[in-house]
Amino acid sequence: MTTVVVVGGGISGLAAAHALATGPNPPRITVLEGSPRLGGKLAGDVLEGVPVDLGAESVLARRPEAVDLIKAVGLGDDIVHPATTSAGLWIGDRIRAIPPTVMGVPVDAAATADVLGASAAEAVAHEAELPAPALTEDVAIGRFVAERMGPAVTDKLIDPLLGGVYAGRAEEISLAAAVPELYAKLHTAPSLLAATAELREAGQRRAGQPVFAGIVGGVNRLISGLEKDLTAKGVEISRQLAVRRITRTAHGFALEAGPVPAPTLVTADAVIVAVPATPASRMLSELVPAASAELATIDYASMAIVTLAVRKRDWPAAATGSGFLVPSVEGRTIKASTYSHAKWQWSRDAGKDLAVLRASVGRLGEEYVLQRSDEELVELATADLRRAVGLQAPVVGSLVTRWGGGLPQYAVGHLDRVDRVEAAVAAVPGLAVCGAAYRGVGIAACVASGGKAATRVQDHLNALETMAP
């Protein structure tokens, strides 16, 4: 029987292992995870008796990959959708409604006046009078939009929306990688406003279809569901066994893992590398130096999630919707807050007399904020919530979860870089890479990345068996 080693037990690696294990003629599969637990940035805990997600809390429902995987591991009956998704923007002295946008790029100039101010809204309207964008190469979305619509759009709309996804800076994030459908439209659209309006219209045709989905008890349950399913299918999973080096052998690959003084050696016919760009670069340095060099250039942002519990009776009546985002120009500590008890009915029910909410802290270049103690981060988050929504009562419980180097940054030219990585890896038969560092940071994108890697490896294994005597 052929063998495959999946390096990395996050959602991408587990999705790759699942695709291999459930496909035709499955190989013998081993998953090697360097940390004590599986799941990567998907994690959960219990706060004052209420289940909570400590990382991602939802999946994109308009893509099939994540939802299909949830169903495949037996959690289909627990799929739920947000009770509300009406987030706001904390600008100045109050929470303001987010106007219609495509990832922060306005659709209707008049609707931006409350957020941007009258003069900035006029600048948005005048964008349609500029020469057509006619993009021929990738650009930074923040800079491009600021040049056409004014800096207020980047500062107060694009920055907070993209900050929630990448914890990065809009002035540095690739338009082609972050909003590919808008980038494609701008090749032929007469204006940026025309492109966003067309995309908005296409989105309205899907009205009634949920954008996001979750799992009762937390989306982190997908990891335990995957582990149970993979174990039942005979997949071997090893924790606390970090791979340091991968080399080619006459018959496949050799992986060196564990401590240097007493390494564990593993051999395989094929390997899927499903770890972040930095460790992937190190372990591929000898095997695929060109890919290693490209991966080493991908930057990562660190952030933290501060999860809080308060009495429902103390929750401010004025704090409505699912939460709010915070532009970095506002100078606040938190960059977003989600009212989990309002967004998810299961959280509201599980909390009984407690309301659970969470705040995100940290952007690219703000690692100094995360050097504060847990207690300080809780105090800073609650102070911001006091100013934003009038939360006066003390918190009943708190959890601080730090994600050091948690979010890859898609800089200008990112997709070209990924093309070069994948081309270099493709020159090594039996090797594949997957994960958030490549073509999407969301769970659905990571599942798709894992599935693509599994297909590549399975094709190689099929070829091996065809050539076998």
Side-chain angles (χ1 to χ4, degrees), residues 423-450:
V425 169
V428 182
L431 180 67
V433 294
C434 62
Y438 302 97
R439 300 185 184 274
V441 298
I443 296 173
C446 289
V447 172
S449 181

Side-chain angles (χ1 to χ4, degrees), residues 302-308 332-336 358-363 366-387 395 398-403:
S302 299
M303 51 93 66
I305 301 291
V306 180
T307 308
L308 306 170
R332 310 296 184 181
T333 298
I334 66 175
K335 65 177 184 178
R358 48 191 246 162
S360 303
V361 178
R363 295 179 174 88
E366 294 184 357
E367 288 75 14
Y368 63 91
V369 176
L370 305 180
Q371 293 172 1
R372 301 174 184 269
S373 68
D374 288 0
E375 292 76 15
E376 288 178 297
L377 288 180
V378 169
E379 289 175 5
L380 289 167
T382 53
D384 273 356
L385 287 163
R386 189 178 306 118
R387 298 185 189 97
V395 299
S398 63
L399 288 170
V400 175
T401 310
R402 299 168 188 271
W403 296 113

